[in-house]
Amino acid sequence: RGISWKDFSATVGLHRGMGWLREIRAGFVGYLVVLSIASIGICLTLLLTMIAAAFEDQGASAGITQSGPEAHPIVGWIYGGTIWTRLACLVLASGFAPLFEELFFRGALQRYFRGRYRFFGAALLTGVIFAALHPQGFYAIPALTAMGIGFSILREWRDSLIAPIVAHAINNGVLVGMLWWML
């Protein structure tokens, strides 16, 4: 719509930043920052889960049941899948998902909100939308929002999507690897 590819790619963060290797290193280092921020969200998710469990116990005695946290569909695919299904899950979760999610959420959506709000408002709003669109359900929103805010910090720091994509890929790869090992 009247904007050149060069301008578009620069705006959404599809550029090399300070160089591929520096940006990839920033993604590895940034992942540690994302984990520290995510720990806050994970604690809130655990608190929500405990509160819900307490209400579920009270409701069960009255004949009312509630559902708890939902499992991501990938858990079932890894549990019941062949080696090829598991490899496909790993490639999708640590390759395609980070690329497309970061392009959409941190590249386009955060950039849009950043033009209207200060950094934290834009990062929080983007993080909540990021979390709500994931299939883990209501209880996971605090943890996923915190992850999204961490990825937003990387985007803001580097102005390139390479670091948040790398951090997102590491996170998803570690989680899928742990699931694979446990199941």
Side-chain angles (χ1 to χ4, degrees):
R1 300 183 117 198
I3 186 170
S4 70
W5 173 253
K6 184 178 178 182
D7 291 340
F8 170 77
S9 61
T11 300
V12 298
L14 286 176
H15 56 82
R16 291 180 288 154
M18 299 182 107
W20 288 100
L21 290 178
R22 265 180 117 169
E23 296 301 323
I24 290 170
R25 267 195 316 261
F28 276 95
V29 171
Y31 179 61
L32 299 175
V33 173
V34 170
L35 281 180
S36 65
I37 294 168
S39 65
I40 298 165
I42 291 167
C43 288
L44 290 173
T45 291
L46 290 173
L47 181 65
L48 267 178
T49 304
M50 289 188 303
I51 291 169
F55 281 113
E56 188 173 313
D57 290 342
Q58 290 176 352
S61 63
I64 302 168
T65 60
Q66 293 178 325
S67 62
E70 300 170 30
H72 194 288
I74 204 168
V75 174
W77 301 335
I78 290 175
Y79 180 72
T82 65
I83 187 74
W84 297 109
T85 304
R86 290 176 174 195
L87 284 172
C89 288
L90 182 64
V91 168
L92 287 171
S94 63
F96 290 107
L99 177 67
F100 291 109
E101 288 179 5
E102 292 308 313
L103 181 60
F104 177 73
F105 290 107
R106 259 56 69 186
L109 197 60
Q110 180 179 331
R111 188 65 166 200
Y112 173 79
F113 288 142
R114 193 65 175 95
R116 284 148 182 75
Y117 307 107
R118 292 178 185 234
F119 168 74
F120 186 74
L124 181 63
L125 194 52
T126 303
V128 168
I129 294 169
F130 170 77
L133 291 177
H134 276 76
Q136 285 93 330
F138 171 76
Y139 296 99
I141 287 179
L144 291 170
T145 297
M147 294 292 294
I149 290 170
F151 297 142
S152 292
I153 289 170
L154 291 178
R155 167 69 162 107
E156 189 81 9
W157 173 43
R158 304 308 297 177
D159 192 43
S160 168
L161 286 179
I162 296 171
I165 289 170
V166 168
H168 197 151
I170 294 168
N171 181 69
N172 288 5
V174 166
L175 291 175
V176 169
M178 286 173 43
L179 273 174
W180 193 340
W181 177 70
M182 289 175 12
L183 299 176

